[in-house]
Amino acid sequence: MRVLGVDPGLTRCGVGVVEGTPGRPCTLVAVGVIRTDPDAPLPDRLLRLDTKLTEYIARFAPDAVAVERVFSQHNVASVIGTAQASGVAILAGARADVAVHTYTPSEVKAAITGSGTADKKQMTSMVTRLLRLEVAPKPADAADALALAICHVWRGGTQARIAAARTRVEEKGTRT
Amino acid sequence: MRVLGVDPGLTRCGVGVVEGTPGRPCTLVAVGVIRTDPDAPLPDRLLRLDTKLTEYIARFAPDAVAVERVFSQHNVASVIGTAQASGVAILAGARADVAVHTYTPSEVKAAITGSGTADKKQMTSMVTRLLRLEVAPKPADAADALALAICHVWRGGTQARIAAARTRVEEKGTRT
């Protein structure tokens, strides 16, 4: 399973692609940051974000896109821009007919470190170790995007197995 | 000048197209509301919004798109969804290579009624009169979208004249 993780942001949007199966170490496919000029008009910034994300999806053909869920508890000054960027990221996945899932920061932290309150340093350290990288991915937005992708490989895989098990039980129920 | 006004929202997104020139009464071209199912997954909702807005732009070929600017002072519970919808609306205009402008609610109110603190009833009444309609446009989201479009025809026109005058002055400056 190949997953594109997106840490949405208007000035810096982290993107990371990993490949893996639940419970096993994932492999790094690609990582980067899409930047847009804070002085550019908003339509140009959103268009650049959309173009770059669409390129990532076309190039790496992920099976799913995992986007960080935006909360109103986020930094009030930047929450609108972050929400607009997340809307563009979710739409880019949907337009390419790729399944899109959103995860809260604490869901991602819990999946990667076992603790929903892990700090940045711990997260980056775990992402580096889980992907068996020699140096930590930088900047923080890139590491966060990889964490989202790993989270989805593991959680998505579990959810898929639960769904499949449910289907089997229901089919059995129908047959008896 | 033909303008598409968009009052962004995830459950109800108002859209209105008007045609006019600054200082003269505008003409209604089209008005409607794009609705998405609150129980549907977010990617499906944003995709529907994008598809419908893109259809509106292709069908009515506006010279500009005017979108209401989202503030963090908005209803905190719905601000994220509204911001995501506004991001999709701004992107739809940018992708179609149409100029996109954003206006605050008080800018729109001031343009339509002369007061930045006008209430809903006064706004709807003025939109109905300015477009010489026999009945008020409904629901409120549709009237708000028309108000945004009228605001842009008037303000955008003024700004274009100022920009043109500036260019003339600068060209004159270069020549001397």
Side-chain angles (χ1 to χ4, degrees), chain A residues 138-159:
Chain A
K138 274 185 190 174
D141 314 78
D144 285 347
L146 291 170
L148 274 153
I150 299 170
C151 166
H152 182 71
V153 169
W154 291 353
R155 293 191 42 139
T158 309
Q159 282 159 7

Side-chain angles (χ1 to χ4, degrees), chain A residues 9-32:
Chain A
L10 207 45
T11 303
R12 287 189 317 277
C13 179
V15 281
V17 182
V18 306
E19 203 162 75
T21 47
R24 296 213 186 164
C26 292
T27 313
L28 173 70
V29 177
V31 65

Side-chain angles (χ1 to χ4, degrees), chain A residues 8 18 25 37 40 45 52 56 67 71 79 87 100 106 114 135 165 167 170:
Chain A
V18 306
D37 180 358
R45 301 179 76 185
K52 289 288 165 190
Y56 256 87
V67 183
F71 279 104
V79 73
V100 181
S106 50
V135 290
T167 309
E170 278 161 16

Side-chain angles (χ1 to χ4, degrees), chain A residues 106-118 122-123 126 130 154:
Chain A
S106 50
E107 281 174 332
V108 179
K109 286 174 182 174
I112 303 296
T113 70
S115 159
T117 58
Q122 197 184 344
M123 283 291 285
M126 276 305 288
L130 289 170
W154 291 353

